[in-house]
Amino acid sequence: MIKVGVLGARGRMGSQVCQTVTAAGDMEIGAAVDQGDSRDPLAGCDVVVDFTHPGAVLDNLHWCIGKGLDTIVGTSGFDEPKLAQVSVWLGDAPGVRVLVVPNFSVGAVLMMRFAEQAARFFTSAEVIELHHAGKADAPSGTASRTAAMIAEARTAAGLGAPPDATVTALDGARGTALGGGVHVHSVRLAGLVAHQEVLFGGPGEVLTIRHDSMDRISFMPGVLLAIRGMVGLSAGLTVGLDPLLGL
């Protein structure tokens, strides 16, 4: 049995993870920890899953790495500086694995991969991400990762920044221009869960790639895949479910 520790166990995603792990036949909850609880019970677990808050996740991760715990991070808000910091910590913890997952939905992973493949064929590219009103960060980790993948593919294809003749605009009207000039727009609306559109434009045509998670249960197959596959990953930092999906 895989003994799983859950950080953020009383939150929306954390509670769903606890239910899913409990229902699985090959794993069990070793510790369920949330804000205000001691993290010490996690020390006896085989793997820790973090679904907490962008403001708390780095401290949690530093603690887990220091304890030699393999850790799966589903908390959003990881940019390149944060990933670099994690890599530094892992340099002092040989054998420890950390898997940072921008999105646990298999459909969302495929959406990002399809967007990466399409990026080199189109003049323009923008991302619209839509989430529930309780989401703490914007843009989402999935959108930031998608924009980075698109930008890298465009650079490899010799494309410059997408054309944009905007000279004057209200603050935020054009979203956030991430690496490579790919704009990301964030919507926060009651009734939504997690949704993303990637729009590509060229002469006379537009391609839209969209993924919708209607319920948080859509993330659970990916969480189980990560827990079961953690032991097979190389030590150090891995970003995304792609290697576990054979992509």
Side-chain angles (χ1 to χ4, degrees):
M1 296 285 281
I2 305 171
K3 189 173 289 188
V4 181
V6 180
L7 272 162
R10 294 191 290 274
R12 287 182 293 264
M13 283 296 295
S15 59
Q16 185 72 64
V17 171
C18 289
Q19 294 174 32
T20 300
V21 167
T22 300
D26 58 343
M27 59 187 74
E28 63 182 358
I29 296 294
V33 175
D34 211 303
Q35 186 176 12
D37 300 336
S38 170
R39 290 179 292 206
D40 291 342
L42 297 169
C45 295
D46 299 311
V47 60
V48 174
V49 180
D50 184 297
F51 276 106
T52 55
H53 188 278
V57 64
L58 278 183
D59 183 59
N60 288 332
L61 191 49
H62 192 199
W63 185 91
C64 289
I65 292 171
K67 295 294 183 181
L69 294 167
D70 289 345
T71 307
I72 300 164
V73 181
T75 304
S76 194
F78 269 81
D79 53 16
E80 290 304 320
K82 288 183 178 179
L83 292 173
Q85 179 61 75
V86 174
S87 294
V88 170
W89 292 335
L90 286 168
D92 297 324
V96 177
R97 305 172 185 88
V98 170
L99 175 61
V100 175
V101 182
N103 198 309
F104 282 96
S105 162
V106 173
V109 174
L110 293 172
M111 173 264 297
M112 288 187 276
R113 181 56 65 96
F114 297 157
E116 181 183 42
Q117 292 176 336
R120 62 193 175 97
F121 295 104
F122 291 89
T123 306
S124 296
E126 303 214 2
V127 179
I128 304 172
E129 57 98 349
L130 310 93
H131 282 80
H132 57 90
K135 187 169 177 58
D137 61 317
S140 69
T142 300
S144 296
R145 176 66 175 160
T146 305
M149 293 169 69
I150 291 171
E152 290 169 9
R154 288 175 59 85
T155 298
L159 299 176
D164 185 353
T166 304
V167 176
T168 61
L170 293 176
D171 187 33
R174 288 288 296 119
T176 301
L178 299 181
V182 178
H183 285 255
V184 177
H185 308 266
S186 298
V187 175
R188 297 293 175 265
L189 194 69
L192 296 176
V193 177
H195 317 260
Q196 181 166 295
E197 286 189 359
V198 186
L199 300 127
F200 293 102
E205 64 175 338
V206 171
L207 170 66
T208 301
I209 303 172
R210 179 171 175 121
H211 176 262
D212 298 277
S213 283
M214 306 301 192
D215 191 287
R216 290 178 179 85
I217 195 67
S218 66
F219 304 117
M220 293 305 106
V223 171
L224 293 177
L225 176 67
I227 293 171
R228 291 176 177 133
M230 198 68 176
V231 70
L233 293 177
S234 300
L237 176 64
T238 301
V239 178
L241 285 180
D242 302 57
L244 296 177
L245 291 168
L247 297 174

